[in-house]
Amino acid sequence: MVTILFCDLAGSTALGHGSDPEALSRRMHGYYERMREIVERHGGVVEKFVGDAVMAVFGIPRSHEDDAVRALRAAGEMRVAVGELGLEARIGINTGPVVAGESGSTLVTGDAVNVAARLEQHAAPGQILLGSETRNLVRDAITAEPIELTVKGKSEPLAAHRLVELDMKAAGFARRLHAPLVGRTRERRRLRDEFEDAVAEQSCRLFTLLGVPGVGKSRLVADFVAGADARIVSGRCLSYGDGITYAPLVEVALQLGADPREILGSTPAETQLAFRRLLEASAAERPLIVVLDDLQWAEETFLDLVEHIVDWSRGAPLFLLCLARPELLDMRAWSGGKANASSILLEPLQEANILDLVDALPGGSSLSSEVRDRIVEAAQGNPLFVEEMVARADAGDDTRVPPTIHALLEARLDRLSSEERAVVDRGAVEGEIFHRGPLAATVDHLDPRLVTLVRQDVIRPAPAQFQGDDAFRFRHILLRDAAYEAIAKKRRAELHEQFAAWVDENGGLLERDEIVGLHLEQAALYLAELDEPYQEVATRAAMRLAGAMGAAANRSDFAAARKLGRRGWRLTEPLSAARAAFVPQLFRALTTGGEWEAAQEVIDDLRRREDDRSRAYGVIFADELAGHFGSDPVEMDADAIRSAFVAADDELGLAVLARHLGSLKWIASRVGEAAPLYAEAAVHASRAGWTSLAAEMQNRSAASILLGPLPLEEYQRFAAEAGIANIAQRARVHAMLGEIDRAWETAGEAQQDALERGDPIAAAASAELYSFVGTHGGREADAVPHLAAAIEELERLGAEGSLSMARMELATILEQVGRLDEAEKCLAHAAASPALADLPAEASLRSLLAAHRGDEAEAAQAATRAVEIADATDFFVVRASAHVSAARTYGLLDRGGDARSDARTALTILEAKGDVAWSAQVRGLLDEL
């Protein structure tokens, strides 16, 4: 990230008119040298002269946090210098990312350079135009007017700012100290106690407040001096410029009413003595606090001056309060061994304090919890980062790191040695947390570099993820991001591949496939961006991501499986062999999340292939997708599909086929026929190593017993022997035994479990449990909001098959609680789906609603139809519900004999099942009849 300055002469043609060529050449040479001197004095470099134009870069070969301000000050001086030639300059300044040459070369390329050139070309003579990013970085040193430019090569108008006024001494962005001080109780007490000791002992004390940029040193000092009974003076060390050695001394002397020229002696010793006497004289009148800021920029001569005062000053309450970044300690052993000197390192704020700060800042309390969490995570305890990010978020842009923070971080990284930077770059490729092991393979003398980086608070020790290794965490995730973004993309690809290879050889992790796949994926993507050969790396990445997806699916983490599968799928070519590794786990993961278009893409790829195995999968998945949409089934030859999987020795395919056939039987309420198919699927899945599918099929087998005609005791025995612990099944058992409160609570647990597994469709569909429990325990009304919420979620997901069933369930409950008009509307909406054709529930509800309307013929016909369909199934719930509904229908029609007959049939079914709660309700219905 650099700031580029273009300066061109206006009217230079007239300058040469009538001039001797040799004289003109000397004059222009003087102009070039003057421009170069100004640029270099402000820390920039001249990349080139083109005719009368100067192109300068600030931030190469080393970044400074105030590069934009330096460029602006240079521009101000250049404009004056050009004026001395009797001419005017057009200047454009822009900040942005560029690619720089190797070995510190100032050759830079990128759109930021083009924009700077366009700004200069559109500037009027004597005018300075700034890009938006530059303006953000110098906002507190200028007055500027926004303008829009139509420039060549840009489809949209270019936002720029015309400089109106420039303060050559002001900082580009000033800290706002109006926010309350939070979380610094201990530090405030230390400061106060040290100052009070200086006053009580009539002595000089040095107190150094160390901390990284933005951690709150200035805010803490502002709070301290506001409550101190003393005279306050201050000086700031400058990072560059002429006469910076004693710049803080000059500031302090002027504030004390002294002439700095009388203090500055001919030798450092004379200056030390004169300045110490000035401070002592002032402190003798009233306690004196001298605040010296940015001491890390101080020249050695000035540091000697401060230590001289600490060593020799006596007899007056003088408190030297120094603010510095940790790198001061790399310059010298600061204040070490002095009895009257102490220091503290200002640590980042705790999360609770950061949240308080967010609330206290303008616009902070109105931010969403998601944005607040993102700010807290990124800031990692740094108040300045919080302030800048809250301001940007309040302005509606919370997607980028504020340029002020980015400049601080880049400058901090550029102050590292090349060896330390190599450690940081390689660590950044691994992530926010990185390990010693991968670094040791490529970095010489690693441990001293790590120690230095820890001391500088760039990194900190962290718990290791690799057994027997040491790990470190970047002090800020933003610091890691800044380091990573500064690495050239080709180099990033190389480092990602290197790290992946190290993990493969050394990393003892269960998630090895995921980690290796991630880094190979990044390498492939960068190579693709650079038009380099990438497919071989992409294929390796895809295969590792496929393995990670399978592991996630095996632990029923469908959300992770979806993400991993989508990433790997995109790395492979259509119809490639590598894509076969993603079937069928990817399809399963996609459909659990309602990602229908992606699931259809998998089907299309499979059905375009020529091998029978792929086509077999394509047919099964197409039929399964049709079920999700509630549309007509796909024609399927199960025997041919089975033969294709047998020929390919594909146990997973056989498991998927058996599961799908069992599901078709289940949907048709033929649980007796579904159970052996589920058992077969469990065997094949187990052989294929897909343990989660095997467990799911065992659960389905248990559910077949639970909801089929066998007594409840048979289910309990089977579940105990097989170790079944399905939450939804436990909810049903509790309800059947009359334990309604436990059943209701367990229904909620089942729904939450589905959400945690990344299966939102199953979570929404499990709202049917509330209906089951409510019907058993007289809590039908309580089930209504759960079913309504499920319908809303299924509508969002587009799961038409499950949606129609949920609407049917809600309509049934609405009738039971007497909300007949709503039930009619809900039924009409549900009945539009072909999935409800010939379902007993639909016919039962029609019979009841017709009976409520007094339409005896329709009611009786529908009730008869419902019972006929239900009795052809072996779902005890379906059969009992149909007979109970028929009994209620005939009761409303005053056909008591028919009503009692159906009620007794329902009671027989329920008692044979062992459903205690529902049996009791039906006995009550019989008593009423």
Side-chain angles (χ1 to χ4, degrees):
M1 186 70 73
V2 302
T3 298
I4 302 112
L5 181 155
F6 274 90
C7 173
D8 197 8
L9 295 178
S12 59
T13 303
L15 179 67
H17 182 68
S19 299
D20 179 79
E22 187 175 342
L24 177 62
S25 176
R26 286 199 303 270
R27 193 172 184 183
M28 291 306 298
H29 180 74
Y31 158 71
Y32 294 144
E33 288 305 307
R34 180 73 176 121
M35 295 300 102
R36 183 185 300 277
E37 183 272 329
I38 292 172
V39 168
E40 291 179 352
R41 183 157 42 79
H42 286 279
V45 291
V46 173
E47 182 182 283
K48 59 184 175 183
F49 292 103
V50 181
D52 302 332
V54 181
M55 175 183 170
V57 183
F58 294 78
I60 296 291
R62 176 176 167 181
S63 294
H64 307 91
E65 61 204 59
D66 57 349
D67 277 321
V69 175
R70 293 173 183 233
L72 191 66
R73 290 172 181 166
E77 288 190 22
M78 293 166 79
R79 183 165 59 177
V80 172
V82 169
E84 293 171 354
L85 291 173
L87 299 171
E88 291 182 298
R90 294 194 304 265
I91 298 177
I93 306 176
N94 188 51
T95 302
V98 298
V99 176
E102 297 292 335
S103 304
S105 166
T106 61
L107 177 63
V108 295
T109 56
D111 186 59
V113 179
N114 300 330
V115 170
R118 297 288 181 266
L119 290 172
E120 175 266 308
Q121 292 162 7
H122 282 76
Q127 200 174 77
I128 298 175
L129 295 185
L130 310 176
S132 294
E133 202 81 328
T134 305
R135 183 264 171 195
N136 290 335
L137 287 164
V138 300
R139 65 193 184 202
D140 293 316
I142 64 168
T143 302
E145 295 177 347
I147 59 174
E148 280 193 352
L149 303 175
T150 301
V151 301
K152 182 179 179 181
K154 295 286 182 181
S155 57
E156 299 292 332
L158 179 66
H161 292 78
R162 182 177 66 82
L163 180 68
V164 176
E165 186 177 354
L166 166 64
D167 184 341
M168 291 290 285
K169 294 184 178 179
F173 63 98
R175 284 297 311 274
R176 309 287 192 250
L177 302 179
H178 54 266
L181 183 66
V182 296
R184 298 298 187 194
T185 303
R186 182 178 61 84
E187 293 87 349
R188 295 170 76 182
R189 184 170 58 249
R190 280 282 304 277
L191 266 173
R192 185 175 61 250
D193 291 347
E194 292 278 350
F195 171 66
E196 289 175 355
D197 286 346
V199 173
E201 297 170 4
Q202 295 290 291
S203 64
C204 175
R205 280 189 174 267
L206 170 65
F207 190 90
T208 306
L209 191 59
L210 297 164
V212 297
V215 79
K217 301 184 297 293
S218 299
R219 184 67 189 84
L220 178 60
V221 170
D223 174 81
F224 164 66
V225 299
D229 183 12
R231 184 175 187 180
I232 315 295
V233 294
S234 63
R236 179 182 297 275
C237 301
L238 303 178
S239 60
Y240 82 100
D242 297 327
I244 64 174
T245 300
Y246 287 120
L249 179 152
V250 172
E251 287 188 76
V252 170
L254 290 172
Q255 293 168 48
L256 292 175
D259 186 345
R261 291 171 296 183
E262 297 178 1
I263 306 299
L264 295 170
S266 58
T267 66
E270 291 178 0
T271 301
Q272 291 172 359
L273 179 60
F275 191 52
R276 173 167 61 85
R277 286 176 174 173
L278 172 65
L279 298 183
E280 288 174 341
S282 177
E285 299 174 3
R286 187 184 180 195
L288 178 64
I289 298 175
V290 181
V291 180
L292 300 174
D293 203 355
D294 282 332
L295 208 64
Q296 75 279 352
W297 303 132
E299 299 288 338
E300 288 286 344
T301 303
F302 186 75
L303 294 176
D304 292 339
L305 168 66
V306 175
E307 291 203 323
H308 166 83
I309 296 169
V310 177
D311 289 336
W312 291 94
S313 182
R314 299 288 186 274
L318 175 58
F319 192 61
L320 297 178
L321 177 53
C322 298
L323 287 71
R325 298 176 186 177
E327 46 260 43
L328 172 65
L329 303 181
D330 293 329
M331 297 168 60
R332 62 199 289 164
W334 179 246
S335 70
K338 300 182 189 298
N340 60 337
S342 60
S343 63
I344 60 172
L345 176 66
L346 204 58
E347 295 284 351
L349 292 173
Q350 299 296 314
E351 182 175 326
N353 302 133
I354 288 293
L355 288 169
D356 290 340
L357 179 58
V358 171
D359 288 335
L361 292 169
S365 59
S366 62
L367 297 176
S368 69
S369 58
E370 180 183 355
V371 172
R372 285 158 59 89
D373 289 345
R374 192 157 57 240
I375 289 173
V376 170
E377 180 182 1
Q380 292 183 331
N382 189 297
L384 172 63
F385 293 4
V386 173
E387 292 176 23
E388 292 290 301
M389 287 188 283
V390 167
R392 183 174 284 271
D394 186 46
D397 181 7
D398 66 321
T399 59
R400 294 174 56 240
V401 177
T404 48
I405 296 176
H406 198 280
L408 278 172
L409 296 173
E410 279 208 337
R412 187 176 177 192
L413 289 168
D414 265 8
R415 287 193 291 272
L416 301 174
S417 70
S418 59
E419 295 83 1
E420 292 157 3
R421 187 60 187 265
V423 174
V424 166
D425 288 351
R426 285 164 173 79
V429 167
E430 182 176 349
E432 183 183 3
I433 295 176
F434 62 94
H435 291 78
R436 182 188 178 283
L439 298 177
T442 55
V443 178
D444 294 331
H445 309 295
L446 174 62
D447 290 338
R449 318 293 184 208
L450 291 170
V451 170
T452 300
L453 291 168
V454 170
R455 187 177 68 248
Q456 292 178 346
D457 207 25
V458 175
I459 62 175
R460 290 189 172 185
Q465 295 174 310
F466 299 151
Q467 188 174 4
D469 205 347
D470 296 317
F472 300 87
R473 178 192 296 273
F474 279 92
R475 187 60 200 82
H476 291 278
I477 182 63
L478 301 180
L479 193 62
R480 177 267 169 189
D481 293 346
Y484 185 78
E485 290 166 9
I487 305 171
K489 290 179 180 177
K490 182 65 181 296
R491 183 60 177 153
R492 286 185 215 172
E494 294 169 356
L495 292 175
H496 277 296
E497 278 203 81
Q498 287 178 16
F499 180 74
W502 185 91
V503 172
D504 245 354
E505 294 174 7
N506 302 279
L509 282 178
L510 292 175
E511 302 86 357
R512 182 182 298 190
D513 276 340
E514 184 173 347
I515 293 174
V516 172
L518 165 65
H519 288 276
L520 290 176
E521 174 191 20
Q522 292 302 307
L525 292 175
Y526 286 127
L527 292 173
E529 285 183 36
L530 297 170
D531 292 327
E532 297 270 351
Y534 72 93
Q535 198 56 55
E536 185 271 334
V537 179
T539 299
R540 285 194 287 132
M543 298 306 292
R544 301 308 287 266
L545 291 172
M549 177 194 66
N554 234 353
R555 60 179 182 266
S556 297
D557 185 353
F558 296 118
R562 276 194 294 278
K563 291 177 183 177
L564 292 163
R566 280 196 304 264
R567 285 163 46 199
W569 185 265
R570 298 295 177 234
L571 289 170
T572 58
E573 297 292 331
L575 305 182
S576 64
R579 283 200 168 180
F582 292 88
V583 179
Q585 288 98 331
L586 178 57
F587 182 82
R588 169 76 165 141
L590 292 171
T591 53
T592 57
E595 298 188 16
W596 312 120
E597 290 184 7
Q600 185 62 54
E601 185 181 346
V602 175
I603 293 172
D604 292 342
D605 184 273
L606 289 167
R607 300 187 81 171
R608 287 200 303 270
R609 293 173 181 264
E610 296 181 358
D611 63 291
D612 292 339
R613 172 185 173 275
S614 296
R615 289 176 176 273
Y617 273 120
V619 173
I620 296 172
F621 291 160
D623 194 45
E624 187 175 327
L625 201 60
H628 282 295
F629 288 144
S631 54
D632 294 333
V634 172
E635 185 175 342
M636 184 173 67
D637 186 341
D639 291 335
I641 291 173
R642 185 178 291 105
S643 296
F645 288 141
V646 169
D649 195 22
D650 187 350
E651 291 286 348
L652 205 51
L654 292 170
V656 169
L657 173 62
R659 179 189 65 184
H660 183 61
L661 295 176
S663 296
L664 295 178
K665 295 296 185 182
W666 180 278
I667 291 169
S669 299
R670 306 295 301 177
V671 290
E673 297 174 32
L677 289 167
Y678 287 142
E680 178 187 340
V683 171
H684 289 302
S686 182
R687 288 174 182 168
W690 194 354
T691 54
S692 66
L693 179 59
E696 179 190 342
M697 293 300 94
Q698 267 207 319
N699 283 332
R700 286 287 187 95
S701 296
S704 300
I705 299 174
L706 177 61
L707 296 176
L710 293 177
L712 181 58
E713 290 85 352
E714 285 295 314
Y715 164 78
Q716 292 170 316
R717 180 189 58 77
F718 177 84
E721 291 176 355
I724 303 296
N726 185 271
I727 304 173
Q729 292 173 23
R730 279 198 285 115
R732 294 186 191 277
V733 171
H734 288 314
M736 292 162 69
L737 296 177
E739 300 164 355
I740 302 303
D741 290 342
R742 288 184 66 187
W744 195 267
E745 181 180 343
T746 308
E749 292 174 9
Q751 199 166 41
Q752 184 60 34
D753 175 67
L755 288 173
E756 291 174 356
R757 288 186 284 107
D759 195 344
I761 292 179
S766 67
E768 180 269 333
L769 288 172
Y770 290 107
S771 174
F772 185 91
V773 176
T775 301
H776 277 70
R779 296 185 61 175
E780 292 89 348
D782 293 339
V784 171
H786 290 281
L787 288 165
I791 288 170
E792 184 176 342
E793 176 67 1
L794 291 168
E795 286 176 339
R796 184 187 70 80
L797 293 167
E800 290 295 332
S802 298
L803 178 60
S804 60
M805 299 298 293
R807 285 174 175 153
M808 187 70 246
E809 199 69 43
L810 177 59
T812 299
I813 292 292
L814 288 171
E815 185 280 327
Q816 291 174 11
V817 297
R819 293 162 62 173
L820 303 181
D821 290 342
E822 294 175 67
E824 290 270 14
K825 293 177 183 177
C826 197
L827 173 61
H829 205 172
S833 169
L836 289 183
D838 288 332
L839 281 186
E842 193 253 356
S844 292
L845 185 56
R846 288 194 184 282
S847 70
L848 283 163
L849 292 172
H852 284 296
R853 294 193 305 268
D855 188 337
E856 182 174 353
E858 182 182 350
Q861 184 180 10
T864 301
R865 177 63 179 157
V867 168
E868 287 177 354
I869 301 172
D871 282 341
T873 74
D874 49 8
F875 258 126
F876 92 91
V877 178
V878 172
R879 295 187 63 219
S881 293
H883 284 284
V884 168
S885 296
R888 292 183 57 226
T889 296
Y890 292 131
L892 289 169
L893 299 176
D894 291 328
R895 291 171 55 173
D898 293 331
R900 287 190 291 274
S901 175
D902 275 300
R904 291 190 189 102
T905 302
L907 183 59
T908 300
I909 296 169
L910 294 171
E911 287 180 338
K913 184 66 189 178
D915 190 328
V916 177
W918 206 355
S919 295
Q921 286 193 7
V922 174
R923 290 192 196 94
L925 175 60
L926 272 169
D927 291 341
E928 291 176 14
L929 293 171

